[in-house]
Short mmCIF file of all heavy atoms in Angstrom, two decimals:
data_model
loop_
_atom_site.label_atom_id
_atom_site.label_comp_id
_atom_site.label_asym_id
_atom_site.label_seq_id
_atom_site.Cartn_x
_atom_site.Cartn_y
_atom_site.Cartn_z
N ALA A 1 0.85 -1.20 0.00
CA ALA A 1 0.00 0.02 -0.01
C ALA A 1 0.91 1.25 0.00
O ALA A 1 1.84 1.34 0.75
CB ALA A 1 -0.94 0.01 1.22
N TYR A 2 0.57 2.20 -0.88
CA TYR A 2 1.31 3.41 -1.06
C TYR A 2 0.41 4.62 -0.84
O TYR A 2 -0.78 4.59 -1.20
CB TYR A 2 1.92 3.50 -2.45
CG TYR A 2 2.86 2.38 -2.77
CD1 TYR A 2 2.39 1.11 -3.15
CD2 TYR A 2 4.24 2.55 -2.67
CE1 TYR A 2 3.25 0.09 -3.47
CE2 TYR A 2 5.11 1.50 -3.00
CZ TYR A 2 4.62 0.28 -3.40
OH TYR A 2 5.49 -0.76 -3.68
N ALA A 3 0.95 5.70 -0.35
CA ALA A 3 0.21 6.94 -0.21
C ALA A 3 0.91 8.04 -1.02
O ALA A 3 2.13 8.19 -0.92
CB ALA A 3 0.11 7.37 1.25
N ILE A 4 0.14 8.74 -1.84
CA ILE A 4 0.63 9.92 -2.57
C ILE A 4 0.19 11.15 -1.78
O ILE A 4 -1.02 11.37 -1.67
CB ILE A 4 0.10 9.92 -4.02
CG1 ILE A 4 0.55 8.66 -4.75
CG2 ILE A 4 0.65 11.21 -4.74
CD1 ILE A 4 -0.11 8.53 -6.12
N LEU A 5 1.10 11.90 -1.23
CA LEU A 5 0.79 12.97 -0.33
C LEU A 5 1.05 14.32 -0.97
O LEU A 5 1.95 14.45 -1.82
CB LEU A 5 1.64 12.85 0.93
CG LEU A 5 1.65 11.47 1.62
CD1 LEU A 5 2.53 11.56 2.88
CD2 LEU A 5 0.23 11.04 1.97
N GLY A 6 0.28 15.31 -0.54
CA GLY A 6 0.46 16.68 -1.04
C GLY A 6 -0.73 17.53 -0.69
O GLY A 6 -1.83 17.04 -0.48
N HIS A 7 -0.51 18.82 -0.67
CA HIS A 7 -1.57 19.76 -0.36
C HIS A 7 -2.57 19.82 -1.53
O HIS A 7 -2.29 19.29 -2.63
CB HIS A 7 -1.04 21.18 -0.07
CG HIS A 7 -0.16 21.71 -1.19
ND1 HIS A 7 -0.69 22.24 -2.34
CD2 HIS A 7 1.17 21.79 -1.32
CE1 HIS A 7 0.29 22.65 -3.14
NE2 HIS A 7 1.45 22.36 -2.55
N ASN A 8 -3.73 20.42 -1.36
CA ASN A 8 -4.74 20.54 -2.38
C ASN A 8 -4.14 21.26 -3.56
O ASN A 8 -3.53 22.31 -3.44
CB ASN A 8 -5.95 21.27 -1.85
CG ASN A 8 -6.75 20.48 -0.84
OD1 ASN A 8 -6.62 19.26 -0.80
ND2 ASN A 8 -7.54 21.14 -0.04
N GLY A 9 -4.36 20.72 -4.75
CA GLY A 9 -3.84 21.33 -5.95
C GLY A 9 -2.41 21.00 -6.28
O GLY A 9 -1.83 21.55 -7.24
N SER A 10 -1.77 20.09 -5.51
CA SER A 10 -0.36 19.78 -5.72
C SER A 10 -0.12 18.78 -6.83
O SER A 10 1.00 18.63 -7.30
CB SER A 10 0.25 19.25 -4.41
OG SER A 10 -0.41 18.05 -4.02
N GLY A 11 -1.17 18.10 -7.28
CA GLY A 11 -1.04 17.15 -8.41
C GLY A 11 -1.16 15.68 -8.03
O GLY A 11 -1.02 14.80 -8.89
N LYS A 12 -1.49 15.43 -6.78
CA LYS A 12 -1.58 14.01 -6.35
C LYS A 12 -2.71 13.29 -7.05
O LYS A 12 -2.56 12.12 -7.42
CB LYS A 12 -1.69 13.89 -4.81
CG LYS A 12 -2.85 14.58 -4.18
CD LYS A 12 -2.77 14.53 -2.64
CE LYS A 12 -3.99 15.12 -1.97
NZ LYS A 12 -4.12 16.58 -2.27
N SER A 13 -3.86 13.94 -7.21
CA SER A 13 -4.98 13.30 -7.90
C SER A 13 -4.67 13.12 -9.38
O SER A 13 -5.07 12.09 -10.00
CB SER A 13 -6.27 14.12 -7.73
OG SER A 13 -6.65 14.11 -6.38
N THR A 14 -3.92 14.05 -9.95
CA THR A 14 -3.51 13.95 -11.36
C THR A 14 -2.64 12.73 -11.54
O THR A 14 -2.82 11.95 -12.47
CB THR A 14 -2.76 15.19 -11.79
OG1 THR A 14 -3.62 16.34 -11.68
CG2 THR A 14 -2.26 15.07 -13.24
N LEU A 15 -1.68 12.51 -10.65
CA LEU A 15 -0.81 11.34 -10.71
C LEU A 15 -1.63 10.08 -10.57
O LEU A 15 -1.42 9.10 -11.32
CB LEU A 15 0.26 11.42 -9.63
CG LEU A 15 1.19 10.17 -9.53
CD1 LEU A 15 1.88 9.88 -10.87
CD2 LEU A 15 2.20 10.39 -8.43
N LEU A 16 -2.59 10.06 -9.65
CA LEU A 16 -3.42 8.86 -9.46
C LEU A 16 -4.19 8.53 -10.75
O LEU A 16 -4.33 7.37 -11.15
CB LEU A 16 -4.38 9.06 -8.28
CG LEU A 16 -4.98 7.81 -7.67
CD1 LEU A 16 -3.93 6.96 -6.97
CD2 LEU A 16 -6.06 8.16 -6.70
N ASN A 17 -4.71 9.56 -11.42
CA ASN A 17 -5.45 9.33 -12.65
C ASN A 17 -4.56 8.86 -13.78
O ASN A 17 -5.01 8.08 -14.64
CB ASN A 17 -6.19 10.64 -13.05
CG ASN A 17 -7.50 10.78 -12.37
OD1 ASN A 17 -8.51 10.23 -12.78
ND2 ASN A 17 -7.54 11.55 -11.29
N ILE A 18 -3.29 9.27 -13.77
CA ILE A 18 -2.35 8.76 -14.78
C ILE A 18 -2.07 7.29 -14.51
O ILE A 18 -2.06 6.46 -15.42
CB ILE A 18 -1.05 9.60 -14.78
CG1 ILE A 18 -1.33 10.98 -15.35
CG2 ILE A 18 0.05 8.89 -15.54
CD1 ILE A 18 -0.18 11.93 -15.22
N LEU A 19 -1.83 6.96 -13.24
CA LEU A 19 -1.56 5.54 -12.91
C LEU A 19 -2.76 4.65 -13.23
O LEU A 19 -2.57 3.45 -13.52
CB LEU A 19 -1.23 5.44 -11.42
CG LEU A 19 0.02 6.16 -10.93
CD1 LEU A 19 0.24 6.03 -9.42
CD2 LEU A 19 1.28 5.64 -11.65
N SER A 20 -3.95 5.19 -13.21
CA SER A 20 -5.16 4.43 -13.54
C SER A 20 -5.37 4.28 -15.02
O SER A 20 -6.23 3.47 -15.45
CB SER A 20 -6.40 5.10 -12.93
OG SER A 20 -6.74 6.25 -13.66
N GLY A 21 -4.67 5.07 -15.83
CA GLY A 21 -4.87 5.03 -17.29
C GLY A 21 -5.90 6.01 -17.76
O GLY A 21 -6.17 6.09 -18.96
N TYR A 22 -6.58 6.75 -16.83
CA TYR A 22 -7.62 7.68 -17.20
C TYR A 22 -7.09 8.93 -17.83
O TYR A 22 -7.72 9.61 -18.64
CB TYR A 22 -8.49 8.04 -16.01
CG TYR A 22 -9.32 6.92 -15.48
CD1 TYR A 22 -9.79 6.92 -14.16
CD2 TYR A 22 -9.67 5.82 -16.28
CE1 TYR A 22 -10.57 5.88 -13.65
CE2 TYR A 22 -10.43 4.78 -15.76
CZ TYR A 22 -10.89 4.81 -14.47
OH TYR A 22 -11.63 3.73 -13.96
N LEU A 23 -5.85 9.32 -17.45
CA LEU A 23 -5.16 10.45 -18.03
C LEU A 23 -3.88 10.00 -18.70
O LEU A 23 -3.23 9.08 -18.23
CB LEU A 23 -4.79 11.48 -16.94
CG LEU A 23 -5.82 12.50 -16.45
CD1 LEU A 23 -5.18 13.43 -15.41
CD2 LEU A 23 -6.35 13.32 -17.64
N SER A 24 -3.51 10.66 -19.79
CA SER A 24 -2.24 10.34 -20.43
C SER A 24 -1.14 11.19 -19.81
O SER A 24 -1.38 12.26 -19.23
CB SER A 24 -2.37 10.64 -21.93
OG SER A 24 -2.67 12.02 -22.16
N THR A 25 0.08 10.70 -19.93
CA THR A 25 1.22 11.42 -19.43
C THR A 25 1.81 12.33 -20.53
O THR A 25 1.61 12.04 -21.72
CB THR A 25 2.32 10.44 -18.93
OG1 THR A 25 3.37 11.17 -18.40
CG2 THR A 25 2.78 9.57 -20.04
N SER A 26 2.40 13.41 -20.12
CA SER A 26 3.00 14.31 -21.12
C SER A 26 4.43 13.89 -21.48
O SER A 26 4.93 14.22 -22.57
CB SER A 26 3.07 15.75 -20.54
OG SER A 26 1.79 16.21 -20.24
N GLU A 27 5.11 13.17 -20.60
CA GLU A 27 6.43 12.64 -20.91
C GLU A 27 6.68 11.43 -20.01
O GLU A 27 6.02 11.23 -18.99
CB GLU A 27 7.51 13.70 -20.70
CG GLU A 27 7.64 14.17 -19.23
CD GLU A 27 8.72 15.19 -19.05
OE1 GLU A 27 9.28 15.69 -20.07
OE2 GLU A 27 8.99 15.55 -17.88
N GLY A 28 7.67 10.62 -20.36
CA GLY A 28 8.03 9.48 -19.57
C GLY A 28 7.26 8.23 -19.99
O GLY A 28 6.46 8.23 -20.91
N THR A 29 7.52 7.14 -19.26
CA THR A 29 6.90 5.87 -19.57
C THR A 29 6.19 5.28 -18.32
O THR A 29 6.60 5.53 -17.19
CB THR A 29 7.93 4.84 -20.07
OG1 THR A 29 8.93 4.62 -19.08
CG2 THR A 29 8.62 5.34 -21.34
N LEU A 30 5.19 4.48 -18.60
CA LEU A 30 4.36 3.87 -17.59
C LEU A 30 3.96 2.49 -18.01
O LEU A 30 3.53 2.30 -19.18
CB LEU A 30 3.09 4.75 -17.36
CG LEU A 30 1.95 4.17 -16.52
CD1 LEU A 30 2.38 4.05 -15.08
CD2 LEU A 30 0.74 5.10 -16.61
N SER A 31 4.14 1.46 -17.16
CA SER A 31 3.74 0.14 -17.52
C SER A 31 3.06 -0.56 -16.38
O SER A 31 3.34 -0.30 -15.22
CB SER A 31 4.97 -0.69 -17.99
OG SER A 31 5.87 -0.88 -16.91
N HIS A 32 2.13 -1.43 -16.70
CA HIS A 32 1.40 -2.23 -15.72
C HIS A 32 1.57 -3.71 -16.08
O HIS A 32 1.58 -4.06 -17.26
CB HIS A 32 -0.11 -1.90 -15.76
CG HIS A 32 -0.46 -0.51 -15.45
ND1 HIS A 32 -0.29 0.52 -16.42
CD2 HIS A 32 -0.95 0.11 -14.37
CE1 HIS A 32 -0.68 1.67 -15.90
NE2 HIS A 32 -1.07 1.44 -14.66
N SER A 33 1.68 -4.57 -15.08
CA SER A 33 1.82 -6.00 -15.33
C SER A 33 1.23 -6.80 -14.16
O SER A 33 1.12 -6.28 -13.05
CB SER A 33 3.26 -6.37 -15.56
OG SER A 33 4.03 -6.10 -14.39
N ILE A 34 0.83 -8.01 -14.47
CA ILE A 34 0.38 -8.96 -13.44
C ILE A 34 1.18 -10.24 -13.66
O ILE A 34 1.19 -10.82 -14.75
CB ILE A 34 -1.13 -9.25 -13.56
CG1 ILE A 34 -1.93 -7.99 -13.31
CG2 ILE A 34 -1.55 -10.34 -12.57
CD1 ILE A 34 -3.45 -8.17 -13.43
N ASN A 35 1.90 -10.65 -12.60
CA ASN A 35 2.72 -11.85 -12.66
C ASN A 35 3.70 -11.78 -13.91
O ASN A 35 3.92 -12.79 -14.55
CB ASN A 35 1.89 -13.12 -12.75
CG ASN A 35 1.06 -13.29 -11.51
OD1 ASN A 35 1.46 -12.97 -10.41
ND2 ASN A 35 -0.16 -13.79 -11.68
N GLY A 36 4.20 -10.61 -14.16
CA GLY A 36 5.16 -10.42 -15.23
C GLY A 36 4.55 -10.24 -16.63
O GLY A 36 5.27 -9.98 -17.59
N LYS A 37 3.22 -10.37 -16.74
CA LYS A 37 2.57 -10.22 -18.05
C LYS A 37 2.03 -8.80 -18.20
O LYS A 37 1.26 -8.32 -17.36
CB LYS A 37 1.40 -11.21 -18.14
CG LYS A 37 1.83 -12.67 -18.09
CD LYS A 37 0.63 -13.61 -18.26
CE LYS A 37 1.11 -15.07 -18.25
NZ LYS A 37 -0.10 -16.01 -18.38
N PRO A 38 2.48 -8.09 -19.25
CA PRO A 38 2.08 -6.72 -19.45
C PRO A 38 0.57 -6.58 -19.69
O PRO A 38 -0.08 -7.48 -20.25
CB PRO A 38 2.84 -6.29 -20.75
CG PRO A 38 3.90 -7.31 -20.87
CD PRO A 38 3.41 -8.58 -20.29
N ILE A 39 0.05 -5.48 -19.23
CA ILE A 39 -1.39 -5.13 -19.46
C ILE A 39 -1.46 -3.87 -20.29
O ILE A 39 -0.88 -2.84 -19.94
CB ILE A 39 -2.11 -4.88 -18.10
CG1 ILE A 39 -1.97 -6.08 -17.19
CG2 ILE A 39 -3.59 -4.58 -18.35
CD1 ILE A 39 -2.42 -5.82 -15.75
N GLU A 40 -2.16 -3.96 -21.39
CA GLU A 40 -2.34 -2.79 -22.26
C GLU A 40 -3.27 -1.80 -21.55
O GLU A 40 -4.20 -2.20 -20.83
CB GLU A 40 -2.91 -3.19 -23.61
CG GLU A 40 -2.06 -4.10 -24.44
CD GLU A 40 -0.72 -3.43 -24.82
OE1 GLU A 40 -0.73 -2.20 -25.01
OE2 GLU A 40 0.29 -4.14 -24.95
N VAL A 41 -3.00 -0.51 -21.77
CA VAL A 41 -3.80 0.54 -21.12
C VAL A 41 -5.27 0.36 -21.45
O VAL A 41 -6.14 0.60 -20.56
CB VAL A 41 -3.29 1.94 -21.55
CG1 VAL A 41 -4.23 3.02 -21.00
CG2 VAL A 41 -1.89 2.19 -21.03
N ASP A 42 -5.59 -0.03 -22.65
CA ASP A 42 -7.00 -0.20 -23.04
C ASP A 42 -7.71 -1.25 -22.25
O ASP A 42 -8.95 -1.28 -22.18
CB ASP A 42 -7.12 -0.52 -24.56
CG ASP A 42 -6.68 0.63 -25.44
OD1 ASP A 42 -6.59 1.78 -24.93
OD2 ASP A 42 -6.46 0.41 -26.63
N HIS A 43 -6.98 -2.18 -21.64
CA HIS A 43 -7.60 -3.28 -20.88
C HIS A 43 -7.40 -3.10 -19.35
O HIS A 43 -7.87 -3.92 -18.60
CB HIS A 43 -6.95 -4.61 -21.28
CG HIS A 43 -7.20 -4.94 -22.73
ND1 HIS A 43 -6.25 -5.60 -23.53
CD2 HIS A 43 -8.24 -4.70 -23.57
CE1 HIS A 43 -6.71 -5.78 -24.73
NE2 HIS A 43 -7.93 -5.21 -24.80
N LEU A 44 -6.82 -1.97 -18.99
CA LEU A 44 -6.45 -1.79 -17.57
C LEU A 44 -7.69 -1.64 -16.70
O LEU A 44 -7.69 -2.07 -15.54
CB LEU A 44 -5.57 -0.55 -17.44
CG LEU A 44 -5.04 -0.23 -16.04
CD1 LEU A 44 -4.22 -1.38 -15.49
CD2 LEU A 44 -4.19 1.06 -16.10
N PHE A 45 -8.76 -1.05 -17.23
CA PHE A 45 -9.95 -0.79 -16.43
C PHE A 45 -10.54 -2.07 -15.82
O PHE A 45 -11.18 -2.04 -14.79
CB PHE A 45 -11.03 -0.06 -17.29
CG PHE A 45 -11.66 -0.92 -18.33
CD1 PHE A 45 -12.86 -1.58 -18.06
CD2 PHE A 45 -11.08 -1.03 -19.57
CE1 PHE A 45 -13.47 -2.37 -19.06
CE2 PHE A 45 -11.70 -1.85 -20.56
CZ PHE A 45 -12.86 -2.50 -20.29
N ARG A 46 -10.27 -3.20 -16.47
CA ARG A 46 -10.77 -4.50 -15.97
C ARG A 46 -10.02 -4.95 -14.74
O ARG A 46 -10.46 -5.83 -13.99
CB ARG A 46 -10.69 -5.57 -17.04
CG ARG A 46 -11.56 -5.33 -18.27
CD ARG A 46 -11.55 -6.54 -19.17
NE ARG A 46 -12.38 -6.37 -20.35
CZ ARG A 46 -11.93 -5.95 -21.56
NH1 ARG A 46 -10.68 -5.71 -21.67
NH2 ARG A 46 -12.78 -5.82 -22.52
N GLN A 47 -8.87 -4.35 -14.49
CA GLN A 47 -7.98 -4.81 -13.42
C GLN A 47 -7.95 -3.87 -12.25
O GLN A 47 -7.10 -4.08 -11.34
CB GLN A 47 -6.55 -5.02 -13.96
CG GLN A 47 -6.44 -5.88 -15.19
CD GLN A 47 -6.89 -7.31 -14.92
OE1 GLN A 47 -6.83 -7.80 -13.80
NE2 GLN A 47 -7.33 -8.01 -15.97
N LEU A 48 -8.77 -2.84 -12.24
CA LEU A 48 -8.70 -1.86 -11.16
C LEU A 48 -10.06 -1.47 -10.68
O LEU A 48 -11.07 -1.65 -11.36
CB LEU A 48 -7.90 -0.62 -11.59
CG LEU A 48 -8.50 0.30 -12.71
CD1 LEU A 48 -9.49 1.31 -12.13
CD2 LEU A 48 -7.36 1.07 -13.39
#
């Protein structure tokens, strides 16, 4: 279990939405996997 901390408007909810696949990132890379098997962003909603 992880906590993303910050004051209101600091971007913590934005980061959470990126990790969920609901928002796209402007730069960098993001990957999700289960037992080493990659999950495509389009199928991520079934796993969260």
Side-chain angles (χ1 to χ4, degrees):
Y2 299 81
I4 301 172
L5 310 181
H7 56 79
N8 291 340
S10 61
K12 59 186 185 296
S13 294
T14 299
L15 176 56
L16 199 68
N17 275 278
I18 289 173
L19 297 177
S20 75
Y22 292 158
L23 275 182
S24 61
T25 182
S26 301
E27 64 179 8
T29 60
L30 168 67
S31 65
H32 301 77
S33 62
I34 297 178
N35 298 324
K37 296 182 179 179
I39 303 169
E40 296 297 328
V41 173
D42 291 346
H43 299 144
L44 183 59
F45 70 95
R46 297 189 179 95
Q47 307 297 335
L48 67 83

